Amino acid sequence: MSDENIVYIGNKPVMNYVLAVVTQMNTGVPEVMLKARGRAISRAVDVAEIVRNRFMTDLEVGSIDISTEEMTSREGSNSNVSAIEIKLCKTE
């Protein structure tokens, strides 16, 4: 999957990411990947559900992958951060 089909979820309002996904899908892309880490995971799930239920009812969740990434802080200490990838696909 190319980088232009990936929407990275952060601290912006949910509807900004919903608009990004809908815009990607309307350009003819068959699937979009949502990626989030840490506290943004719940926002990524919200984006996927809002897009599926309100804007594009012909989408389905292709796959959901969860993982843990080890982050190194500026002080040098390591901490584990959860991550999620949600693939949204158009149905035929």
Side-chain angles (χ1 to χ4, degrees):
M1 179 173 288
S2 66
D3 274 347
E4 57 198 31
N5 298 348
I6 300 173
V7 177
Y8 293 98
I9 308 296
N11 292 325
K12 292 181 182 175
V14 172
M15 291 308 290
N16 289 19
Y17 301 111
V18 170
L19 180 63
V21 172
V22 171
T23 303
Q24 284 292 327
M25 286 298 194
N26 285 336
T27 61
V29 176
E31 58 188 28
V32 172
M33 180 77 75
L34 301 174
K35 290 188 177 185
R37 288 193 303 203
R39 294 181 181 164
I41 289 175
S42 64
R43 190 172 290 116
V45 173
D46 290 344
V47 169
E49 289 301 306
I50 289 171
V51 170
R52 279 187 343 111
N53 294 326
R54 292 191 195 167
F55 291 97
M56 304 185 80
T57 56
D58 62 335
L59 289 183
E60 66 180 16
V61 176
S63 65
I64 300 173
D65 297 322
I66 56 173
S67 61
T68 302
E69 299 177 8
E70 189 169 317
M71 302 287 290
T72 304
S73 68
R74 294 180 186 174
E75 294 82 31
S77 62
N78 291 336
S79 62
N80 292 328
V81 178
S82 299
I84 191 168
E85 296 180 355
I86 303 170
K87 184 188 288 186
L88 296 175
C89 306
K90 283 190 178 178
T91 58
E92 298 301 322

